[in-house]
Amino acid sequence: MAVETKNSVVERIVEPFDCLHFIDGKFVPSVDGKTFNNVNPVNEEVYGTVAEGSAADIDLAVAAAKRAFEEGPWGKMSTQERSKIIRKIGDILEERQEEIAQLESLDTGKHLKFSRHVDAPRAAKNFHFFADYMISVGTEAFQDETHGAINYGYRRPIGVVGLIQPWNLPLFLLTWKLAPALAAGCTVVIKPSELTPMTATKLMEILKEAGVPDGVVNLVHGFGQGAGSAINKHPDIAGIGFIGQVSTGAKIMEEASKTLKKLSFELGGKNPNIIFADSNLDEVVETTIKSSFTNQGEVCVCGENIFVERSVYDEFVEKLAAKTRQLKVGNPFDMEYDQGALVAKVHYDKVMSYFKLAEEEGATFVTGGKRPEGLDKGYFVEPTIITGLEYGARCTREEIFGPVVSIIPFDTEEEVIAMANDSRVGLSNTIWTNDIRRAHRVAQSIESGLSYINCWFVRDLRTPFGGTKDSGLGRVGGVHSWEFYTEITNICVKL
């Protein structure tokens, strides 16, 4: 296990490694031999290579998944047998949490505190949850007295599923899609983000160790225009689960339309955090510091727009700024720090471009707005609070996906609801008030898939997760995941 030394720097028990594809139970290079570099976001140095997949590699992976689905033992196993294997995957992930957490921090630049307490344990929990869920879920039945018949639902897996995954919570979100797909009896082709390939590759070793048959899960690294596009267009892939940007979701939908695949999208958001004057501001600040800057703000449900009732606006800004200034940014393996680096140069450049835009739009930087002093290498950004922008400015409209929040005053409940709904996206919102009637009224009025009242990022894996408008298609979690990865046949029996 890792230990903390006297200077609080954690000793690494893992090292970066080169990432190959995993097809039909074997690690293999690309058909054409192409690779690309894996770059350390903390020091901007190359620390490995990654196989660059193309349509040819996707063809091999899909063929293996199709054989495993139609001819292999996976679909013929009893539910209880599959459940044991899925539970074992979770057990191994749990046993290797420190290794997984360190790999995740190496690849993403995020602080080890977050990888240890969120990414690694939640990956294990996803498999444990669906191992239990799959042996308890039932189907509907209806007795038709008029015709003397009974109808019941029979569920079967949809077949080969493509999973195209993001870079912000790489293993956590991959397992959130993979666990129910396996529980339902599907076989899978995965394309992880090209920015974070290592934990997905390590997971393939764990699946094999747990007893998942060859071909059931296949992994092809690469880029959206190559491997990703080939998944979207492949006629033998029955459904695609995607987490990522709105624009990418639109491209997937366009490319997948020729074969009418099932689609499950979890897309972007510009989530409102609404604070009424009757709430306990100290409690609000304790949670808002997390909902603003957790994982460097690279979480889909982070609250980028903070709406504060005008009578407590100045007090809230002062309290949040004081807490924000206490956050330390630096080496993700040093426990003296709270935040690490952004994931890659392309994302760092995007976030920094919004600071320039905010200046042009007339913003005031209460905190941050620049690279931390003394960190000349790596993709580090100070936690940033912006004020002075009218709602409607680009920085209040467009998802930045970094450690950046805008604080905006409001006067009435109706006004803040109108601002929250004046958006093309609708993933989540957070509402702070001690008025129980107002809490429910506002939660039911805002157009989003998730609403947190006096809390944030509290997840029960049985509940629906997903967005409205441009923030996604469908829901995942519990029965909602089950419905995506299965097809139901109604069987009518005349008695």
Side-chain angles (χ1 to χ4, degrees):
M1 291 294 292
V3 296
E4 294 182 20
T5 63
K6 290 181 180 179
N7 65 357
S8 81
V9 178
V10 174
E11 293 180 1
R12 291 221 309 257
I13 62 170
V14 297
E15 293 298 329
F17 55 85
D18 294 336
C19 297
L20 297 172
H21 308 309
F22 185 76
I23 298 175
D24 207 12
K26 299 179 181 63
F27 286 103
V28 295
S30 298
V31 170
D32 59 12
K34 286 186 177 181
T35 63
F36 60 94
N37 290 332
N38 196 12
V39 177
N40 186 338
V42 172
N43 58 23
E44 303 180 43
E45 295 178 358
V46 173
Y47 58 23
T49 61
V50 186
E52 182 179 341
S54 65
D57 302 288
I58 293 296
D59 284 343
L60 292 174
V62 174
K66 187 177 181 182
R67 283 195 304 273
F69 183 76
E70 295 177 349
E71 305 169 17
W74 192 244
K76 299 179 178 65
M77 286 183 185
S78 68
T79 302
Q80 287 75 15
E81 288 175 313
R82 278 206 317 275
S83 175
K84 287 180 182 178
I85 293 175
I86 292 168
R87 173 162 292 282
K88 188 172 181 181
I89 299 169
D91 291 342
I92 298 170
L93 282 167
E94 202 166 56
E95 292 165 3
R96 297 169 67 173
Q97 276 193 26
E98 181 65 16
E99 175 188 359
I100 294 298
Q102 290 197 22
L103 279 176
E104 204 72 302
S105 288
L106 278 172
D107 231 4
T108 63
K110 69 177 65 183
H111 202 279
L112 186 60
K113 293 176 185 177
F114 190 84
S115 297
R116 279 176 169 174
H117 296 295
V118 178
D119 292 271
R122 281 294 297 271
K125 185 177 181 180
N126 288 336
F127 284 103
H128 285 156
F129 172 82
F130 281 104
D132 291 336
Y133 182 83
M134 65 186 290
I135 59 175
S136 63
V137 65
T139 57
E140 58 196 24
F142 302 96
Q143 185 171 328
D144 182 348
E145 295 179 355
T146 302
H147 300 97
I150 188 168
N151 294 270
Y152 68 92
Y154 173 73
R155 287 196 178 274
R156 57 170 60 83
I158 62 173
V160 180
V161 174
L163 300 181
I164 302 175
Q165 297 299 291
W167 48 258
N168 61 321
L169 304 165
L171 189 65
F172 171 8
L173 294 179
L174 170 57
T175 58
W176 181 229
K177 295 287 190 181
L178 179 60
L182 294 179
C186 295
T187 57
V188 182
V189 176
I190 299 164
K191 192 204 86 66
S193 170
E194 64 275 11
L195 300 177
T196 52
M198 287 199 295
T199 51
T201 306
K202 182 62 65 174
L203 179 61
M204 299 302 103
E205 293 180 9
I206 292 170
L207 296 178
K208 198 168 181 71
E209 182 181 343
V212 176
D214 292 348
V216 171
V217 180
N218 305 271
L219 175 76
V220 178
H221 297 287
F223 298 89
Q225 293 182 343
S229 183
I231 288 175
N232 302 338
K233 298 174 182 178
H234 205 290
D236 290 331
I237 288 182
I240 297 174
F242 169 69
I243 304 174
Q245 294 182 345
V246 176
S247 58
T248 308
K251 182 66 173 177
I252 292 171
M253 181 179 285
E254 178 186 351
E255 292 185 336
S257 64
K258 298 289 193 298
T259 50
L260 296 178
K261 303 180 192 308
K262 293 182 78 172
L263 300 174
S264 174
F265 288 170
E266 297 170 50
L267 307 178
K270 188 72 173 179
N271 308 305
N273 180 4
I274 300 171
I275 300 162
F276 288 96
D278 67 336
S279 54
N280 182 324
L281 285 192
D282 290 330
E283 178 188 3
V284 174
V285 168
E286 284 297 325
T287 300
T288 299
I289 203 78
K290 299 173 185 174
S291 66
S292 300
F293 304 122
T294 286
N295 200 41
Q296 300 75 239
E298 297 168 325
V299 178
C300 58
V301 293
C302 273
E304 289 193 9
N305 282 334
I306 304 176
F307 297 97
V308 184
E309 195 165 0
R310 195 176 299 274
S311 61
V312 295
Y313 177 84
D314 291 339
E315 181 184 359
F316 175 82
V317 171
E318 182 180 342
K319 286 178 178 286
L320 185 66
K323 276 282 186 184
T324 301
R325 292 187 186 103
Q326 294 173 11
L327 296 175
K328 297 180 179 180
V329 181
N331 178 2
F333 285 82
D334 188 337
M335 294 298 109
E336 290 186 3
Y337 295 104
D338 305 295
Q339 295 195 348
L342 299 186
V343 70
K345 185 177 188 303
V346 64
H347 189 57
Y348 171 84
D349 289 344
K350 173 192 171 184
V351 172
M352 296 300 283
S353 75
Y354 275 100
F355 295 155
K356 182 178 179 182
L357 176 62
E359 289 178 355
E360 294 170 356
E361 293 183 322
T364 297
F365 288 85
V366 180
T367 67
K370 60 185 188 302
R371 173 188 283 274
E373 292 183 10
L375 292 174
D376 299 325
K377 283 284 190 180
Y379 310 123
F380 295 98
V381 175
E382 288 185 343
T384 300
I385 296 174
I386 295 171
T387 61
L389 292 180
E390 293 292 329
Y391 185 68
R394 282 182 58 194
C395 286
T396 68
R397 290 280 194 174
E398 299 172 11
E399 185 179 35
I400 301 173
F401 213 62
V404 187
V405 293
S406 296
I407 309 182
I408 303 160
F410 70 90
D411 293 299
T412 67
E413 179 182 317
E414 293 74 18
E415 178 191 11
V416 75
I417 290 171
M419 286 192 290
N421 285 338
D422 185 15
S423 174
R424 281 303 313 150
V425 289
L427 182 57
S428 76
N429 66 77
T430 304
I431 300 161
W432 291 95
T433 178
N434 287 325
D435 183 334
I436 190 65
R437 291 182 177 179
R438 173 193 281 158
H440 287 282
R441 190 168 61 236
V442 175
Q444 292 177 20
S445 299
I446 296 178
E447 299 162 353
S448 66
L450 302 158
S451 190
Y452 299 106
I453 297 175
N454 297 332
C455 63
W456 176 76
F457 207 19
V458 177
R459 284 288 292 129
D460 182 324
L461 301 188
R462 297 169 295 182
T463 60
F465 185 101
T468 61
K469 299 189 278 192
D470 285 357
S471 286
L473 293 174
R475 297 292 183 269
V476 293
V479 69
H480 308 281
S481 293
W482 204 247
E483 287 174 349
F484 177 73
Y485 293 110
T486 63
E487 293 284 7
I488 190 166
T489 299
N490 184 76
I491 297 176
C492 178
V493 182
K494 186 72 180 290
L495 302 177

